[in-house]
Amino acid sequence: MVFNLQRSMAATSAAGTSTKKECAKYVRQYIEAGGISTAGRPGYAWAYRSYLPSIGWQHFTTLTGLAQQLQFTKTMVRPGDIAVMNHGQYGHICVWNGRCWVSDFVQRNMWVYPGQGTCYIFRYTGKITNQPFNPEIKLNQPPPPFPYEKLVKPTEDLVAALTSFNNPIDALISETKTERI
């Protein structure tokens, strides 16, 4: 499977400013936006710890406490890294989008709860593309012809109209001779 990192990270713009308690749903949507199927996915965040390896994310490291989490975020994190944490009944899951940790909301830190906690970091190990997504581009077809006929240099009429204004560049414009290409 090829994971389109750019499309996935662009999807994180859907994150809000406060939690909706739907972190697993949003991270799943980010994964799917990158072209990875999440068929058979679990229903809650903590269960993604055992599910992610089945779709190409491998356990990379385990971070305990805020100091380790901040150090990892400053030095080793990559866009697309996913953090899973066991907290409360359902846990929490978030993804690094290149600027911040994001789940159903934009987070200040990886760990969003009071106190210290343990985060399990997963990194995609399959093939990654950063190809921009444009639904209008059809694969295996030549691009449409470029409309060269629409490229026109200013004509003398245009130069004359521009020089009718009293401004400091009048002299420069009046000396310019242009023609159609």
Side-chain angles (χ1 to χ4, degrees):
M1 288 182 273
V2 177
F3 180 56
N4 190 315
L5 185 61
Q6 185 169 346
R7 285 179 59 192
S8 178
M9 297 304 96
T12 66
S13 65
T17 57
S18 61
T19 185
K20 300 172 190 77
K21 302 202 181 299
E22 295 181 326
C23 59
K25 172 185 170 185
Y26 276 71
V27 171
R28 170 188 54 86
Q29 290 172 344
Y30 306 148
I31 293 169
E32 290 172 347
I36 303 296
S37 171
T38 61
R41 66 186 172 270
Y44 57 94
W46 175 241
Y48 273 79
R49 182 175 175 213
S50 59
Y51 174 72
L52 285 170
S54 71
I55 59 170
W57 272 262
Q58 297 304 312
H59 180 255
F60 182 71
T61 190
T62 301
L63 307 169
T64 302
L66 185 59
Q68 283 187 0
Q69 294 161 17
L70 290 174
Q71 183 64 25
F72 177 81
T73 298
K74 288 179 183 177
T75 61
M76 295 183 66
V77 72
R78 291 186 189 164
D81 282 357
I82 295 176
V84 179
M85 44 221 84
N86 185 11
H87 186 273
Q89 184 176 0
Y90 302 108
H92 183 64
I93 187 169
C94 56
V95 63
W96 178 259
N97 71 0
R99 291 182 313 231
C100 58
W101 290 100
V102 180
S103 55
D104 56 337
F105 69 104
V106 176
Q107 302 177 189
R108 288 184 57 177
N109 295 307
M110 182 188 312
W111 182 260
V112 295
Y113 303 105
Q116 303 288 318
T118 301
C119 298
Y120 300 87
I121 306 298
F122 292 83
R123 182 165 286 166
Y124 189 73
T125 56
K127 186 174 179 182
I128 294 176
T129 181
N130 284 311
Q131 192 68 30
F133 175 68
N134 182 344
E136 295 179 11
I137 294 176
K138 307 292 186 219
L139 298 178
N140 300 322
Q141 292 183 7
F146 189 81
Y148 289 102
E149 64 279 357
K150 292 183 179 178
L151 291 178
V152 178
K153 291 185 177 179
T155 64
E156 289 183 18
D157 293 337
L158 179 58
V159 172
L162 290 173
T163 57
S164 67
F165 296 101
N166 290 327
N167 63 47
I169 62 168
D170 283 348
L172 178 63
I173 293 175
S174 64
E175 293 176 12
T176 305
K177 301 277 185 191
T178 57
E179 62 186 38
R180 288 184 157 284
I181 55 172

